[in-house]
Amino acid sequence: ITDKPEYLVESTGLYMELLLQQKRESHFRDQVEVLKEYFIVRVGDDYFIKWKTGMDISVNAFIDDLRIVNILLQAAVIFHNEEYATLANELLASVKKHQIVNGQIAQYYDWESDYLAPTMVNSYLHDDYLSLLKIDKFPTPSDVGVFFAEEQMIKSDKSISSKEAHMVNQLLIATYCLGKSCENRSFDKWLKKQWEQEKIIYGRYNKENRKATVKYESRAVYALAVRYFKKNHSPLAHEIIIEKSSFFSTRTDKKTHFFDYVHGVIVRNEN
């Protein structure tokens, strides 16, 4: 809680994912109403989702939209409610209409100015979400040695890479790339060695020397590491959950961001 609180649709979408996982139908229905009242905007025949609340917000975020669409489609089946599927398809139609260019997905669209972002954010890519778009081929992020580039220019396909590796983003990209041409065996080898030797995965690393640039650990990093290792080194996934059990608890505290908290709980419930 701050003097100027921000309410992100990212948090609403992640909370909906948790409620669906727990099959809490009435609470899920409440969040759909929150979504409709505070985040969804109708412009002509199009339906858009604001990335955060506010009268002056006219921009979405691809990852939030597709996460919510995917959840609503699942909820329509689990809760036997076709209204969720109808809403999901309306939202999906707007993404298809405005945000796909040459098989790549712009990270955001401003419906007031009709401005399309020039870049695709690689950590937004997810097999389940992209399959809903029915594009001819899935995008291929570039690697920069051990780590991945964070963005791709849509027109030129040129990669954009920061000097620092944020492990939430790196793990999301690495998991998406497993089994594809962009799979990075150097990253896999480094991450596996990092865990086996130190039993710690920090939040950020210098891409050049591969040394940690921070001393904090986070629930989201370990949760995403579990998801990554479950696909190719399943014993390590189990080991992380045991070794870092406090990062997967349902106990809350004022210092933990909701993004970190909910990832820990969701991934714990998956195991």
Side-chain angles (χ1 to χ4, degrees):
I1 298 174
T2 66
D3 293 336
K4 295 181 180 180
E6 288 188 336
Y7 299 96
L8 308 181
V9 76
E10 175 185 65
S11 299
T12 298
L14 289 167
Y15 186 40
M16 289 170 67
E17 184 177 344
L18 177 62
L19 293 172
L20 182 64
Q21 184 188 60
Q22 297 175 338
K23 294 184 171 58
R24 295 166 64 185
E25 185 173 2
S26 63
H27 288 81
F28 185 91
R29 189 186 314 116
D30 290 343
Q31 288 307 305
V32 174
E33 293 306 313
V34 166
L35 193 65
K36 290 178 180 178
E37 183 173 354
Y38 295 102
F39 294 105
I40 294 179
V41 177
R42 182 174 181 177
V43 182
D45 294 330
D46 296 324
Y47 291 82
F48 300 106
I49 307 178
K50 298 177 181 181
W51 76 275
K52 67 176 181 178
T53 56
M55 295 296 292
D56 59 341
I57 304 300
S58 60
V59 174
N60 73 335
F62 167 75
I63 182 62
D64 298 330
D65 292 21
L66 268 291
R67 178 188 290 116
I68 287 169
V69 165
N70 190 49
I71 291 165
L72 286 169
L73 289 173
Q74 292 179 59
V77 176
I78 292 172
F79 297 138
H80 309 288
N81 188 330
E82 276 303 307
E83 290 183 10
Y84 296 156
T86 299
L87 178 59
N89 287 320
E90 289 170 340
L91 296 167
L92 183 61
S94 295
V95 174
K96 287 181 176 180
K97 180 178 177 181
H98 295 284
Q99 287 186 256
I100 301 176
V101 181
N102 299 328
Q104 293 184 317
I105 304 95
Q107 60 172 299
Y108 68 84
Y109 174 68
D110 187 327
W111 53 87
E112 287 292 332
S113 62
D114 191 30
Y115 177 77
L116 188 68
T119 58
M120 177 183 70
V121 175
N122 293 331
S123 58
Y124 285 6
L125 302 175
H126 187 292
D127 287 349
D128 291 346
Y129 305 162
L130 294 180
S131 65
L132 297 173
L133 297 172
K134 295 182 170 60
I135 55 181
D136 292 336
K137 64 176 183 177
F138 282 9
T140 304
S142 299
D143 65 64
V144 282
V146 168
F147 298 101
F148 291 90
E150 285 78 13
E151 298 180 44
Q152 306 284 132
M153 295 295 297
I154 288 175
K155 288 185 178 180
S156 65
D157 205 29
K158 180 182 177 181
S159 62
I160 301 173
S161 180
S162 66
K163 293 180 179 180
E164 203 172 36
H166 292 234
M167 289 307 294
V168 164
N169 297 332
Q170 293 294 314
L171 284 161
L172 286 167
I173 302 168
T175 301
Y176 165 79
C177 282
L178 285 172
K180 300 183 180 67
S181 60
C182 57
E183 183 172 345
N184 188 341
R185 297 189 185 281
S186 295
F187 176 85
D188 183 77
K189 183 179 178 180
W190 170 81
L191 184 67
K192 188 169 179 283
K193 182 179 179 181
Q194 176 69 27
W195 171 254
E196 290 178 337
Q197 290 189 351
E198 299 189 30
K199 294 295 186 282
I200 291 177
I201 303 173
Y202 290 108
R204 301 182 189 186
Y205 290 84
N206 180 294
K207 284 186 178 179
E208 192 171 327
N209 62 23
R210 288 167 272 179
K211 301 294 184 182
T213 57
V214 296
K215 291 300 180 185
Y216 69 77
E217 303 167 76
S218 83
R219 288 174 180 244
V221 167
Y222 285 125
L224 294 172
V226 166
R227 281 184 171 170
Y228 175 81
F229 282 137
K230 277 178 70 176
K231 292 178 178 291
N232 58 353
H233 305 293
S234 57
L236 295 186
H238 181 70
E239 191 176 301
I240 290 174
I241 289 176
I242 300 301
E243 293 272 351
K244 301 293 180 179
S245 58
S246 63
F247 288 87
F248 296 91
S249 74
T250 57
R251 182 178 57 82
T252 59
D253 63 71
K254 293 180 180 179
K255 295 181 180 179
T256 303
H257 192 285
F258 183 74
F259 179 91
D260 288 278
Y261 172 77
V262 75
H263 271 88
V265 177
I266 289 172
V267 168
R268 181 70 199 211
N269 290 345
E270 290 173 349
N271 290 271

